[in-house]
Every structure is written in C-alpha cells, then in structure tokens.
Amino acid sequence: MGAMRRLLLPAALVVAAVAALAVLRSSWSERDERAGRAARSRVDLPARGGSGDRGAGSEESTRQDGSADAPQSRVRGTVTGPMGVLWGARVVAFRAGSGEILAETHTNPDGGYTMDLEPEVPHDLAVEPSDLTGLLPWRREAVTVRPGEDLTVDAALAAGAVVRGRFIDENGEPAAGIVVRVVAEDPARPGSSSPASRAAALAKSNREGRFLLRGLQPARYVLDVLDPSWMFPKPVSVLADGRDVDLVVVPCFQIELVVKDIETGDPVPAFTVRATSGDLVLLEAAGRDGEFSTRIRWPGQLPPGERLQAARRTFLDVAAPGFQPRIPLSGGPDRVAWMVPIREQNTTIHVLFDNGDPYFGELLVNIRSQASGAACAVRFVRDPGTGAFRGALPWGDWEVGIIPLGAYRTGGYTAEARTGPGLEASIPLTLPGGGTIVFTPPAGVDRTTAYLCLIQEEREDLGEGTSVRVARVERTFAVSREGTRVQGIPPGTYDIGVPRSVEIVPGQFVTMAAWVRRITIDARSVEEIRLPE
C-alpha cells in the first residue's frame, strides 16, 4: 500500500501541474480577448506623445498623436532575412522626406508587425535590424494608405558586407579589448571620414586580437580606435569585402584641452599646441574655438598602467595671437589653459632678502581671479637697472602667489593686486636671507638635477665590507646649461649629491650614485659647485 502511494504521489503532482497550466492559459486567453475588445472599441484619447512603440512582439501600434479613428488605416507585414523571419526588428514610419517619427513598433516572434497610419499622408517606412544580425537596414519611401485600408508591406533584409581582421602591436602580438568603429570614407578625401556620416558599426577585439564589423554596405570605410590608450600610426581605410586584415596599433595617451581668455572667459579662436617631454617634441598642432583634442603617440613601449604617468610627464606649450606666452601645462585629460591678453606692464614686484641682498633668480607669479576663480601663471622679468620685477597682469582683481624659483624657500608668498586701464600695482616681497650656491652641470649636459641633502645619513652593509651612503633629501634644484643660482640657503652643513633615481621628492631617503662634496653654509657664503658626469 505504501509503495502504491509512492507511485501515485508523483502522478498526482503532474496532474495538478497540468491543471494549473490549463487555468493559466485560460486566464491569458480571457485577458487577451478583453484587451482585443477594448482595442476595437476604444475612442479618441488625449495626445500622450512618445513613439507609440508597444514593445517587442506588438501586433498593434498607436500613432504618435495617440488618436485612433474608425475605420482604421493600417500597414502590416513580415520582416525576413536570409535565415528566415526576424524577431525584434524595429519598424518605423517617418513623415515622408523628414526625420519626424509618426509611428513605430517591433516585430513579433513570427516576424510580423502592424502599425496604424494616418490616411492619405505619405510615409517613409524603415526597418532597423539589431546590430548582431549583420543585416542591412531596409527602407521604402512614400507609402500611403487610404482610409480604412489594411496595406501589406513585407520587408526582405539583405546580409551586409563585413570588415574582419586582427589588431596587433608593434611586436606582432595580439592587442585584445580594443573597441573600433567604422565610418564611411569621404570620396573627396581618401583616408578621411565623411563629415555627415555616423558610425556604421562597432566591434571589440577578443583575446586573439580578432574583430568583426558586420552589416555594412559594400564600400570603403575609415577605422577609428575608440580606446584612448591605442591609436593607428596613420589613418586606416579598408574595403568591406570580407578579407582578413592585420592592423597595427601603437600605445598613446589622450590630451583634452580647453583654451580661454582669463579676462572674459571666452574661448580663444585660434591657437597652437606644442607637446614635449624633456627634449623630445611629441606633437605640434593647431586648435580652434577654444577646444583641442588629440592622441599623442608615446615613443617606445608604454604599458597600459603607465600611460597616465606618461601624460603627466608631457608638457603643453599653448600660444595664441594677442596673448602672452604662458607657462607650459602638464599633460593629461580635461585641462584648461587660461590665456592672459597682451597688456602694457602694469605690475611691479620688489624682491629683497632680509639681509639686504638683491634677488637674481626667476620669478613666477600665479594669479587667480577673485571674480571667476580662473587661474594661470605668468613670468615677471627683472629690470637690471632697478632690480625690481615687472610684468603685465590681466585687468581685474587678483589673488597673487609669488614663486621665487631661485630661492631656497619658494612658497608661501601671497598678495592681492588690482589692475586696469591706467592702474598700476606694486607688491613688496621680503625673502629670508642665507648663503648662495651656484650649480654648474657637467660638460655637454643641457639640463640635470642637483640634490641638497641634510646630514642625516645611514649606512647599508652590502657585504664584504662595502657600504653605501643614504641621506634624506632636503631640496632639489633643476640645473640648466647656463648654471643655476640658489639664494637664501639657511646656515648649516649639507651634502650635495646626484641620486641613482630621478623620481625623488624632498623628505625621502635616497641612495646616492655620486657625492659631490660636503659644504658648510653661513649667511654670506657663496659656493660654486660643478656636478659630476
């Protein structure tokens, strides 16, 4: 008896499930019948706007104005491709000769569609397949239905051409994860995209670097890498004929720059950009209407994780007619270059040390508008006759930060200035006094770096009785070919050194590759030091 119960229990569950499914199907049928009766008996409703799309598989669609007159004028049909019917294809009715959408829907699982159309109004019908199908869009123009007509318009979509291939780097290795798009080539400018065209297809390379762009018209296309970390060494144009192509990509980084007038906030109409890294010129190009965007190829290998650092090691010189030369910007995305209009010199900064010594170094002035917050830096020039520094500030009220690049202490000096037509500003600045060191680079070296270290050394045993010297960096100084003078060094004993690494910041303990000498500075010392090769 127990065995019989165990046999009957699963059977009872199956019967119950079948009954529940039948009830559910019945409720679905009743709901659909009620919806059909409501649709057939509906009256005019207020306009709701929107596209009228009732979702994928919809058998009806509402006109854009939301109205439904009786008898209704409709267009219906079936959308097919080379492999059969298409489910989910977008069907749109435009007002003829325009881009105004009057009705739209999507095909159902059988490829069918139905749309209500306004009678006696010419429509352009379009079918837009999913990008995954690789099929070409379909269009028929000037379709008109009569009042009460149920017009059948079928659409047979053709397979599009393809562009396929592989992305490789300069070593021939696959480049994975690169997003590329194709845009129709401009016949009048081979290798350039047509200004009016939009992206025809998108693709992303797999682990083997392979990509496939489908659904294209048989034509020539320009390829564009959307990944800002990669670029083509030169413009790439391909024919959509299905043949495999190997395309070389090289590492790069993106530069985005906005150039504005600091007085007015208006975009600068024309300017030039020169990108450099050390003595290497990476780019020289022109920009217009205050905007500049480009990719810069980095020479040699550049791992993806180092591309932002490469951008930061790049400096941008921006120049424009009618504006002062500005201090180079560090590279990277989303930079704003505020330009200072050329004015007569209207600001004087008097710089002296507290021991009465004159200051001979460069003077950099950071200015920030009290009205807009716009900020930039300008250089002031020393007048040999008076010893004062003169420069031209834009007109307005400014917060001024003064940076004496040739002084031991360069920061913390602030003031305010107001300039305008016929208005002069005068700023006194007193620096803490001290000794002076004049650094000279090795013969044949245009630029290097000297490191001034406090006597706070350690010894690291390297085995066999050898050791190296480690010290804490106090200050760093860029040494030019002409030599660099550093003034206002506090009295004390220092080690002068050349480090093993160039990525050093003050306060860091470093191992020195070469020690130049140990010196003692007092308030009036002047030391001349030539750095080793």
Side-chain angles (χ1 to χ4, degrees):
M1 190 67 176
M4 180 64 71
R5 286 176 179 172
R6 287 194 298 271
L7 290 174
L8 291 176
L9 184 57
L13 291 175
V14 171
V15 171
V18 170
L21 182 59
V23 171
L24 184 60
R25 285 177 173 172
S26 175
S27 66
W28 286 346
S29 299
E30 292 177 2
R31 184 194 64 187
D32 293 344
E33 184 177 354
R34 288 195 302 270
R37 289 197 302 268
R40 289 191 294 272
S41 61
R42 66 181 182 269
V43 296
D44 290 346
L45 297 175
R48 295 183 300 172
S51 65
D53 181 7
R54 299 179 70 155
S58 170
E59 286 291 349
E60 292 190 22
S61 74
T62 306
R63 292 200 307 273
Q64 195 76 354
D65 63 1
S67 63
D69 297 327
Q72 189 60 266
S73 300
R74 291 193 176 100
V75 61
R76 68 175 69 241
T78 302
V79 178
T80 59
M83 304 298 293
V85 298
L86 291 183
W87 180 16
R90 183 172 180 244
V91 185
V92 185
F94 300 93
R95 187 178 300 278
S98 76
E100 180 186 358
I101 297 177
L102 299 180
E104 67 177 292
T105 188
H106 288 78
T107 57
N108 61 25
D110 298 323
Y113 74 92
T114 301
M115 287 192 297
D116 297 342
L117 299 183
E118 187 176 351
E120 307 297 350
V121 174
H123 295 75
D124 293 340
L125 298 184
V127 178
E128 301 172 358
S130 166
D131 292 339
L132 300 177
T133 65
L135 301 179
L136 294 174
W138 177 94
R139 191 177 184 91
R140 178 173 293 181
E141 297 180 350
V143 175
T144 304
V145 293
R146 296 187 297 273
E149 183 180 11
D150 201 331
L151 181 65
T152 298
V153 178
D154 295 328
L157 277 59
V162 300
V163 171
R164 68 174 81 238
R166 184 174 63 132
F167 290 125
I168 57 176
D169 62 20
E170 293 176 292
N171 297 320
E173 297 296 323
I178 294 181
V179 180
V180 65
R181 68 179 176 184
V182 290
V183 181
E185 185 179 59
D186 187 351
R189 299 183 303 152
S192 301
S193 58
S194 176
S197 61
R198 61 182 181 89
L202 294 171
K204 184 177 182 179
S205 62
N206 61 16
R207 287 183 297 179
E208 290 77 35
R210 303 202 65 83
F211 68 93
L212 175 63
L213 295 151
R214 301 188 293 182
L216 303 174
Q217 298 284 353
R220 292 200 69 86
Y221 292 88
V222 174
L223 271 67
D224 183 20
V225 177
L226 298 185
D227 185 340
S229 299
W230 295 93
M231 64 181 289
F232 294 123
K234 58 183 180 181
V236 173
S237 171
V238 296
L239 179 64
D241 57 6
R243 289 184 292 181
D244 271 355
V245 291
D246 278 354
L247 300 175
V248 176
V249 290
V250 296
C252 68
F253 56 90
Q254 187 85 13
I255 293 291
E256 302 281 350
L257 192 63
V258 175
V259 184
K260 294 184 176 182
D261 184 329
I262 197 169
E263 280 188 356
T264 65
D266 295 334
V268 174
F271 56 91
T272 59
V273 178
R274 187 173 185 263
T276 59
S277 181
D279 296 329
L280 189 63
V281 178
L282 302 177
L283 171 79
E284 290 183 286
R288 296 189 62 82
D289 301 325
E291 295 185 356
F292 183 81
S293 176
T294 189
R295 292 179 189 175
I296 296 180
R297 178 179 179 179
W298 190 258
Q301 296 299 315
L302 186 64
E306 297 182 9
R307 287 169 192 171
L308 181 58
Q309 288 76 9
R312 289 171 177 167
R313 293 197 301 268
T314 301
F315 290 90
L316 308 176
D317 287 297
V318 184
F323 292 88
Q324 299 181 33
R326 60 157 295 127
I327 308 301
L329 285 167
S330 62
D334 303 325
R335 301 292 183 186
V336 178
W338 293 101
M339 306 296 289
V340 177
I342 293 177
R343 302 289 187 200
E344 294 290 336
Q345 289 187 342
N346 54 20
T347 304
T348 304
I349 302 178
H350 304 271
V351 185
L352 288 174
F353 289 95
D354 57 12
N355 59 10
D357 289 344
Y359 171 69
F360 294 101
E362 293 183 89
L363 198 68
L364 189 66
V365 178
N366 285 326
I367 58 173
R368 179 182 178 87
S369 170
Q370 295 182 0
S372 67
C376 71
V378 294
R379 291 188 187 275
F380 273 47
V381 179
R382 186 174 185 271
D383 184 340
T386 64
F389 288 81
R390 294 278 291 166
L393 297 187
W395 292 345
D397 294 321
W398 304 95
E399 298 172 3
V400 179
I402 305 169
I403 305 174
L405 297 176
Y408 183 82
R409 180 189 170 192
T410 59
Y413 308 112
T414 61
E416 293 184 356
R418 170 174 289 181
T419 57
L423 190 61
E424 288 265 343
S426 179
I427 301 172
L429 177 63
T430 302
L431 305 176
T436 299
I437 299 178
V438 180
F439 292 101
T440 304
V445 176
D446 287 343
R447 191 174 182 87
T448 186
T449 304
Y451 289 77
L452 188 65
C453 302
L454 286 175
I455 302 303
Q456 188 174 350
E457 63 184 71
E458 302 173 353
R459 292 191 176 274
E460 177 184 353
D461 187 4
L462 299 181
E464 300 181 358
T466 62
S467 62
V468 296
R469 190 178 233 168
V470 178
R472 185 171 70 87
V473 173
E474 179 70 9
R475 282 295 311 278
T476 66
F477 303 101
V479 180
S480 65
R481 178 169 50 186
E482 296 78 16
T484 296
R485 175 190 294 263
V486 182
Q487 297 177 264
I489 300 174
T493 302
Y494 300 91
D495 279 341
I496 308 299
V498 178
R500 296 181 185 274
S501 170
V502 296
E503 299 293 337
I504 303 297
V505 295
Q508 188 173 355
F509 282 91
V510 296
T511 301
M512 290 297 171
W515 291 90
V516 181
R517 57 188 286 191
R518 176 170 292 180
I519 60 173
T520 299
I521 294 290
D522 61 34
R524 294 291 181 178
S525 296
V526 178
E527 299 284 345
E528 295 186 2
I529 296 177
R530 178 177 289 275
L531 299 177
E533 296 183 4

